Amino acid sequence: MDRVALRGLKARGHHGVFPREREEGQTFIVDLVLGLDTRPAAADDDLAKTVHYGVVAEEVVDVVQGEPVDLIETLAERIAQQCLKHDGVQEVEVVVHKPDAPITVPFDDVTITITRSRA
């Protein structure tokens, strides 16, 4: 299986369990690895036979900016399900970064990584 990766998609969302997170929002960063067979697209040099990563990027940003959820686990699942709606995508790895999580000690990042497939 081939891989198409999108790294560092940024969007502001209002996800979290604390009122401040819901009211003020924060930046979330998403990394994706889409698993698909790119041979048909490469053979014909045809965008219609692969995944349009620009469209996927816009859809992922829409999910992050959309309906708030408490957990980044839920957000990652919603992103994965959106990616799997594309016909050629057989599997997806989603990493959601929450670099401004409300943690009281110094830290660099909080992430959740999930992998989902059609099977």
Side-chain angles (χ1 to χ4, degrees):
M1 192 169 308
D2 303 319
R3 305 274 184 240
V4 173
L6 290 92
R7 308 259 188 230
L9 297 170
K10 294 179 184 171
R12 190 158 186 85
H14 294 265
H15 311 289
V17 296
F18 297 113
R20 187 172 136 249
E21 293 179 290
R22 292 293 184 103
E23 293 165 11
E24 297 177 15
Q26 60 193 293
T27 299
F28 292 85
I29 302 166
V30 178
D31 302 324
L32 300 173
V33 179
L34 307 170
L36 65 153
D37 183 357
T38 63
R39 288 176 292 191
D44 295 337
D45 198 27
D46 186 352
L47 177 60
K49 294 182 178 180
T50 189
V51 64
H52 191 310
Y53 50 80
V55 170
V56 172
E58 291 171 358
E59 292 171 350
V60 168
V61 166
D62 286 346
V63 171
V64 174
Q65 293 175 340
E67 180 184 349
V69 297
D70 288 343
L71 304 177
I72 59 174
E73 291 86 343
T74 306
L75 181 59
E77 184 67 33
R78 287 184 178 180
I79 291 167
Q81 294 309 314
Q82 181 62 46
C83 292
L84 289 171
K85 289 180 181 178
H86 291 268
D87 290 335
V89 177
Q90 297 301 307
E91 98 179 4
V92 60
E93 179 184 275
V94 178
V95 181
V96 175
H97 301 257
K98 189 175 180 181
D100 298 321
I103 297 175
T104 60
V105 297
F107 74 102
D108 289 330
D109 199 5
V110 172
T111 67
I112 176 77
T113 302
I114 67 170
T115 303
R116 299 292 182 265
S117 64
R118 292 183 183 274

